[in-house]
Amino acid sequence: MTKLSHATLKSFAKVHKPAYDPAELKPGIVHFGVGNFHRAHQAVYLDDLFGLGLDHDWALVGAGVRESDDRMRDILKAQDWLTTVVDQEAEHSQARITAAMIDYVTISTDEGRKALMAYLTSPDIRIVSMTITEGGYYIDPASQHFDTAHPDIVADSVNPDKPETVFGLIVQALRLRKLQGVEPFTVMSCDNIPGNGHVTEDAVVGLAKLSDPEFADWISANVAFPNSMVDRITPATGAREREIAAQEFGVDDGWPVFCESFKQWVVEDNFPNGRPALHKVGVTFSSEVSAYELMKIRILNGGHAAIAYPGGLLDIHFVHEAMEHPLIRRYLEKLTKDEIIPEVPPVPNTVLDDYRVLIDKRFANPSIGDTIRRLCLDGSNRQPKFILPTVSDRVAKGEPVTGLALVSAFWCRYCFGTTDSGALIEPNDPSWDRLVKQAKLARDNPVKWLEMEDIFGTLASSPAYAEAFSSALRRIWQDGTEKTLQLYLAGETL
């Protein structure tokens, strides 16, 4: 086992190494949110591109605004910003070392803040990208619009010269670039949010408008916010992953990334200040990003939510183990075919049921090590994006929502804080205390759960949905998870 660094790169015999000299790279992209997904996705595509000998002036600079980002930065700095990425499938496992990132700065110190702003205002930086999770966009769950009243946003609007949020830093940098006569960078979201480019623009422009409406109008007229769809299942890193990297591949990596082999990236080609030639390494540039995006969010992300909560209630640890449970796997299939796919418009060059089968196979991958707890995380942000829009579409057409209501009923039961066996569920949502309180009220009166209008919006006043949800939750409490799934699969009334 050898510690990962530039000096030791050549010594690793069992891994694919960069086909370029990292010292030759120059920065072109600042990326906020250097987590596992980014390092398994955007960084890998760039690593592939650099390996072709192309676009070496588009290297990544990581950026962080949270305290936890400092730990990631310190670990990656100790290994010269290198990352071990391990693709795991049932039949094979392979590792590579990527070197697409050349620096990483955070705003925890004045020195770091100055370094980040120097990058953000440099003409070399032509794209600012982000993976800050669904909950990082300050979206009001009920309206799905930017929340200008959020305390973080209010604070940045009052103190625009020392912002603490990603959007505040972007606004500050754009203002300085304008004053210095530097072309604006393109702002590219890589998060699982419908219309992520539009959502990002709403956040940046909305924040700017609070302190300088004229400048906000300038941003709207001059800055590009391309939409994108991103996909690669990437679990969290733990002791298991570090041990596999060390024992099987001989790499002592402080934060390796494990993922499936499959990856997909569809992007709107809207980059006025230039972009790397990512189309040469498998990225699809399309004007129909929304079609791909809706398919992925409703079938894959919605599917994750569907298996997560029954899996959690049945004390299942890994995602592939949930897929081995015949009731959960059949529930996912029936729900997707009956209620989700009918609400997904046509996608270019894609058969939706073939995509469903692919998702089923990916979920069942026994090597990936993705956990049910990760899928259950942050339901208060994920349900309004991945489940409830499909519900709204079906309710508006008078179509049944039995299976979709069951997804949210399982989520409510999970938030009660115990599994069917009585085991304690540790907090797993930024709003956990609130959710537990509401779930306890909903045990005897299910509509109490729907009273969280910031999550359910107008669905709370839909008699059809309220009845379907209430029936599902009562059945779960009466008969438990497995029996409820059996009744649903048998087509019986819940």
Side-chain angles (χ1 to χ4, degrees), residues 328-481:
I328 292 178
R329 192 163 195 165
R330 288 171 55 208
Y331 169 48
L332 175 64
E333 179 180 2
K334 178 176 172 59
L335 171 68
T336 306
K337 285 183 173 181
D338 291 357
E339 298 184 25
I340 296 179
I341 285 181
E343 306 310 321
V344 177
V347 179
N349 305 311
T350 304
V351 177
L352 291 179
D353 196 61
D354 290 348
Y355 183 78
R356 178 195 65 78
V357 172
L358 172 64
I359 297 305
D360 187 277
K361 180 181 179 182
R362 291 168 63 194
F363 287 1
N365 181 351
S367 299
I368 193 65
D370 203 4
T371 65
I372 287 294
R373 180 171 173 81
R374 186 187 79 86
L375 301 193
C376 290
L377 173 68
D378 203 12
S380 60
N381 273 302
R382 294 181 175 184
Q383 289 267 325
K385 297 175 179 66
F386 303 153
I387 295 297
L388 300 180
T390 311
V391 175
S392 295
D393 286 352
R394 291 185 66 78
V395 167
K397 296 189 296 186
E399 298 290 345
V401 290
T402 306
L404 288 163
L406 191 52
V407 175
S408 295
F410 280 132
W411 173 46
C412 176
R413 171 63 185 86
Y414 178 88
C415 291
F416 189 84
T418 59
T419 69
D420 280 11
S421 70
L424 180 68
I425 297 173
E426 296 294 333
N428 201 21
D429 192 287
S431 302
W432 186 251
D433 290 343
R434 176 202 184 196
L435 295 176
V436 170
K437 178 181 178 180
Q438 210 68 22
K440 289 181 177 179
L441 293 174
R443 178 167 185 172
D444 296 322
N445 187 5
V447 294
K448 287 291 184 182
W449 188 251
L450 305 183
E451 288 179 358
M452 295 187 292
E453 291 187 4
D454 56 324
I455 295 174
F456 288 94
T458 58
L459 283 174
S461 60
S462 164
Y465 182 67
E467 176 57 30
F469 173 83
S470 298
S471 296
L473 185 60
R474 290 191 187 98
R475 180 63 68 179
I476 294 167
W477 275 116
Q478 176 181 311
D479 295 330
T481 299

Side-chain angles (χ1 to χ4, degrees), residues 3-15:
K3 181 65 180 176
L4 180 61
S5 70
H6 282 162
T8 62
L9 257 180
K10 293 182 179 179
S11 68
F12 297 110
K14 297 181 179 180
V15 300

